[in-house]
Amino acid sequence: MGDKKKIGILISGRGSNMLALIEATERGELEAEVAVVISNVEGAPGLEKARAHGVEALVISHKGLSREEHERLIVAELKRRQVELVCLAGYMRLLSPYFLSEFPGRVLNIHPSLLPAFPGLEAQRQALEYGVKFSGCTVHFVDEKMDHGPIILQAVVPVYDDDTVETLSARILAEEHRLYVRAVAIVLSGNYRIEGRRVLIGRSREAGHPA
Ligand code: GAR
């Protein structure tokens, strides 16, 4: 039990992706333990959802702090619990180079579009208004730019003529919950390598495809 890899999850709100990850650890689908959930927003609904599953959940507000002061508090809590992988799950703040240097290549994010299309806020509304026929979600390694780092997995969903932001968001969200669990499993397994922006999964180090 004690040797399970430890995940920390950062949230700002509802926490449904957080819950998907916690439930995957409970089912044994992820060989890991969610050691702590941290929200920068007091009263984020995800906090109670985490606690209901026996997961420690903290509020570390960014109010009145510089980005780095805030992140130093978060990093201290993550390190105290020997967190190896940090998952952003609706955490609506950019991370600084300081944070990323504390967890190099160990911070993931999920975003509700097929990046690089529609980064930023209200990705589902952006997709609908642009008129794309397919959208989806992306799990990627985090770098200093918003919704930007190397892509681990993507899932595609159709956009229908009668979709609203709500119906499209719900269709994407169902995929998000599955995709995040799969991406975390891949990263925890170590069975991937990164070449430039490309994340190559399940490949040997030799060139070419496996037989
Ligand atoms: C999710 O749709 C996630 O992809 C999105 O916020 C929502 C959080 O929901 N993240 C971003 O837009 C990041 N740029 P949740 O709190 O229920 O997981």
Side-chain angles (χ1 to χ4, degrees), residues 100-167:
L100 297 172
S101 71
E102 293 290 327
F103 292 96
R106 308 301 288 171
V107 186
L108 310 187
N109 181 42
I110 187 155
H111 183 73
S113 75
L114 294 174
L115 292 171
F118 316 127
L121 293 176
E122 297 201 86
Q124 305 93 331
R125 180 183 301 281
Q126 293 184 55
L128 204 57
E129 287 177 357
Y130 195 94
V132 292
K133 301 296 184 188
F134 292 90
S135 190
C137 48
T138 303
V139 179
H140 63 93
F141 288 104
V142 172
D143 64 13
E144 283 122 60
K145 295 187 195 150
M146 188 176 50
D147 301 325
H148 179 266
I151 291 168
I152 303 163
L153 291 176
Q154 294 185 303
V156 178
V157 310
V159 181
Y160 299 125
D161 288 352
D162 59 356
D163 264 332
T164 62
V165 173
E166 288 69 34
T167 59

Side-chain angles (χ1 to χ4, degrees), residues 85-87 105-110 115 137-142 148-155 179-189 191-194 197-202:
L85 183 66
V86 180
C87 296
R106 308 301 288 171
V107 186
L108 310 187
N109 181 42
I110 187 155
L115 292 171
C137 48
T138 303
V139 179
H140 63 93
F141 288 104
V142 172
H148 179 266
I151 291 168
I152 303 163
L153 291 176
Q154 294 185 303
L179 197 72
Y180 216 170
V181 171
R182 285 174 50 211
V184 168
I186 288 165
V187 173
L188 288 176
S189 78
N191 193 18
Y192 65 94
R193 66 199 156 92
I194 303 177
R197 282 199 49 92
R198 302 181 73 204
V199 180
L200 306 176
I201 296 164

Side-chain angles (χ1 to χ4, degrees), residues 13-18 89-92 109-112 120-124 146-147 173 176-177:
R14 177 177 59 184
S16 73
N17 279 290
M18 171 210 77
Y91 182 71
M92 294 311 200
N109 181 42
I110 187 155
H111 183 73
L121 293 176
E122 297 201 86
Q124 305 93 331
M146 188 176 50
D147 301 325
L173 192 65
E176 289 187 46
H177 297 161

